Amino acid sequence: MDKEQSPARLRDTLVTGSTIGAQEKLPREKKVQDYLRASTSDNTRKAYRSAIRQFEKWGGRLPTNNQVLVRYLLNRAEVLNSRTLDLHLTAIGQWHQYQGMSNPVTDPLVQKTMQGIRRTHGKPKQKAKALSMQHLAAMAGHLRSQVASKKKARDLALLLTGFFGAFRRSELVAIQVSDLIWEEEGLIIRLPKSKTDQSGEGILRALPYGDAQVCPASALKHWLKIAAITEGPVFRAVNRWDTVQPQQLNATAINDLLKKLGLACGFDFVDQISSHSFRRGLSTAAAREKVSFELIKKQGGWKSDAVVWGYIEEGQQFSDNASSILMKKMAELLR
């Protein structure tokens, strides 16, 4: 296609994020490529690239066919989690679709084979441990007992903001000072983009002022003051000499912090703690306190009603339980 970039290579941007050689980039082509890349999140593209690399490392080549895919599934069924294999099929299928080719993943033989693998080798998805109010209080108490430092102030602000704002770790580390809107009643954090807002319309998360011991807005204001942060990233790395660094905190550091606090508090589920414990914790704790579905959904920014109802059921699985009601009745009969 003389100097025009082929549609196939442009479509490949969606799956692999591959780029065109600098000498080939014309203004219009670059715009198309940029928009194609923006249509899929970075994390999704990374996952797809990894899946395709693993398929090719096994010996597969793209384009492929249903017979090769079945052999791949049979070979990897006892090595990889069934959800991982599902992701591999999705990535391979997306590649074929965006190349305008017949998608072998939709072949009935491939689908039935994958269905059998799920039923034979499927395992329950490992869920992050939901932090309860008792867990949060223990963590916050441990931090407050430490000698005053910038790191202590940051960690406390991070803990309280992450929990009461039901933030994802990617959202926490991306918060900028310019995203903070201070009001008389508390703090509003503007999220320019999140997992559930890929179009960048923006999400607002409100944190009202509360008791000084547990108030995320107050803890955040204190951290910004002693760290002298007036612009740029809110949550930043702090080195061993308690010096605040200019760059934003690495997202993986949040998991490390939560596990470290869990160990210090003597929790027996440290290996189940992750940044997602914030979102699960807020939703299940709110459900136990009979907070309404609408308020829980709003605070977490969830798009799926089913996900929110799942958290509510988890939070109320002991309080709203048929057995507990019947046990009370039986206890009365035995008196």
Side-chain angles (χ1 to χ4, degrees), residues 16-143:
T16 66
S18 62
T19 57
I20 308 169
Q23 71 278 10
E24 298 180 53
K25 289 182 182 178
L26 297 177
R28 186 178 67 82
E29 294 167 359
K30 186 177 185 303
K31 280 188 176 182
V32 173
Q33 188 182 67
D34 289 343
Y35 288 141
L36 285 173
R37 185 180 295 109
S39 70
T40 307
S41 73
D42 289 339
N43 286 339
T44 299
R45 275 199 306 275
K46 287 178 182 177
Y48 285 176
R49 281 199 297 268
S50 175
I52 289 174
R53 278 198 302 269
Q54 290 185 59
F55 175 66
E56 292 178 335
K57 185 177 180 180
W58 169 79
R61 293 293 179 267
L62 297 177
T64 189
N65 58 54
N66 62 337
Q67 297 296 326
V68 173
L69 285 181
V70 168
R71 289 203 302 273
Y72 178 65
L73 293 175
L74 294 177
N75 183 265
R76 308 303 287 167
E78 296 185 11
V79 179
L80 299 177
N81 187 289
S82 60
R83 286 185 296 275
T84 301
L85 282 176
D86 272 322
L87 173 63
H88 288 196
L89 288 182
T90 299
I92 293 168
Q94 290 283 299
W95 187 93
H96 284 81
Q97 285 182 333
Y98 289 117
Q99 300 302 327
M101 299 178 179
S102 177
N103 183 3
V105 173
T106 61
D107 182 83
L109 181 61
V110 175
Q111 290 296 309
K112 292 296 285 186
T113 301
M114 191 62 231
Q115 183 180 350
I117 290 172
R118 290 191 204 100
R119 297 187 67 175
T120 304
H121 301 290
K123 297 178 182 178
K125 185 177 180 180
Q126 281 293 104
K127 295 181 180 180
K129 177 71 174 181
L131 293 175
S132 69
M133 296 304 297
Q134 290 77 12
H135 299 146
L136 185 70
M139 289 174 151
H142 173 76
L143 283 174

Side-chain angles (χ1 to χ4, degrees), residues 150-166:
K150 294 185 180 69
K151 185 178 184 304
K152 168 187 172 180
R154 184 207 65 187
D155 290 349
L156 186 59
L158 189 61
L159 178 71
L160 296 176
T161 302
F163 182 89
F164 288 109

Side-chain angles (χ1 to χ4, degrees), residues 103-235:
N103 183 3
V105 173
T106 61
D107 182 83
L109 181 61
V110 175
Q111 290 296 309
K112 292 296 285 186
T113 301
M114 191 62 231
Q115 183 180 350
I117 290 172
R118 290 191 204 100
R119 297 187 67 175
T120 304
H121 301 290
K123 297 178 182 178
K125 185 177 180 180
Q126 281 293 104
K127 295 181 180 180
K129 177 71 174 181
L131 293 175
S132 69
M133 296 304 297
Q134 290 77 12
H135 299 146
L136 185 70
M139 289 174 151
H142 173 76
L143 283 174
R144 289 192 179 280
S145 69
Q146 304 301 300
V147 176
S149 68
K150 294 185 180 69
K151 185 178 184 304
K152 168 187 172 180
R154 184 207 65 187
D155 290 349
L156 186 59
L158 189 61
L159 178 71
L160 296 176
T161 302
F163 182 89
F164 288 109
F167 286 106
R168 298 177 178 86
R169 65 180 186 176
S170 59
E171 296 169 344
L172 277 172
V173 299
I175 296 173
Q176 304 285 307
V177 172
S178 58
D179 297 326
L180 306 180
I181 305 170
W182 297 95
E183 304 283 1
E184 290 185 9
E185 299 90 347
L187 168 67
I188 297 174
I189 300 178
R190 183 196 304 110
L191 298 176
K193 185 174 291 186
S194 77
K195 183 179 179 181
T196 54
D197 179 39
Q198 293 295 329
S199 60
E201 295 179 5
I203 294 176
L204 300 179
R205 202 70 55 82
L207 296 172
Y209 285 123
D211 186 285
Q213 292 293 307
V214 299
C215 178
S218 299
L220 196 55
K221 183 176 288 188
H222 176 64
W223 154 243
L224 293 173
K225 181 178 179 180
I226 69 166
I229 297 174
T230 58
E231 61 180 5
V234 168
F235 292 113

